[in-house]
Amino acid sequence: TITSRKEDIEAERIRKEEEEEKKKFVGTPVTLESFAKWKEAFVNEFNLTSKEDERKLKKSTESKKITGRDMFLQSDDLINSDVLYMQEIGEEGDGEVVDIDESLFQDL
């Protein structure tokens, strides 16, 4: 009948769309040969001639600028820096004393 034919056409269209969508996520399988070919092209592109050059490239890519969040996570000094600063101001008598309720920060 006409309704079942329309349903069949719609189901086929949906199936084809799903197949097209799946093709986007299918890549080239990596084999030892394909990796060696890629690595050779990579080395040639960056003019790497030795392991030392590879280390230099790796080091230069690792020496990117550290974000504030990274600094905060790397150093325990920054965790208490605000508290210590506020205590110093209070001890010096240059500013007003600020009481800090540390219990407010226990969940962080």
Side-chain angles (χ1 to χ4, degrees), residues 65-105:
K65 190 172 185 178
I66 296 176
T67 65
R69 183 174 191 265
D70 293 337
M71 289 174 34
F72 180 79
L73 293 174
Q74 289 177 356
S75 174
D76 293 338
D77 297 336
L78 295 174
I79 294 172
N80 296 319
S81 65
D82 290 343
V83 173
L84 295 173
Y85 176 72
M86 296 304 287
Q87 288 173 349
E88 286 175 11
I89 289 176
E91 291 172 1
E92 293 175 3
D94 293 342
E96 71 179 76
V97 177
V98 177
D99 291 327
I100 299 172
D101 185 5
E102 293 182 19
S103 66
L104 296 173
F105 301 99

Side-chain angles (χ1 to χ4, degrees), residues 10-58:
E10 181 66 19
E12 182 67 20
R13 185 186 64 77
I14 291 172
R15 185 186 64 77
K16 286 181 180 179
E17 286 178 3
E18 288 175 352
E19 286 178 7
E20 289 297 318
E21 188 69 25
K22 286 181 183 178
K23 287 181 182 179
K24 293 179 184 177
F25 299 105
V26 176
T28 305
V30 178
T31 63
L32 187 57
E33 293 82 19
S34 65
F35 177 76
K37 185 178 178 181
W38 170 84
K39 186 176 180 190
E40 182 179 340
F42 179 80
V43 168
N44 290 337
E45 180 179 346
F46 288 100
N47 297 321
L48 301 176
T49 56
S50 67
K51 291 285 185 187
E52 182 63 31
D53 288 340
E54 288 181 26
R55 280 188 227 115
K56 286 179 185 177
L57 176 66
K58 184 177 180 183

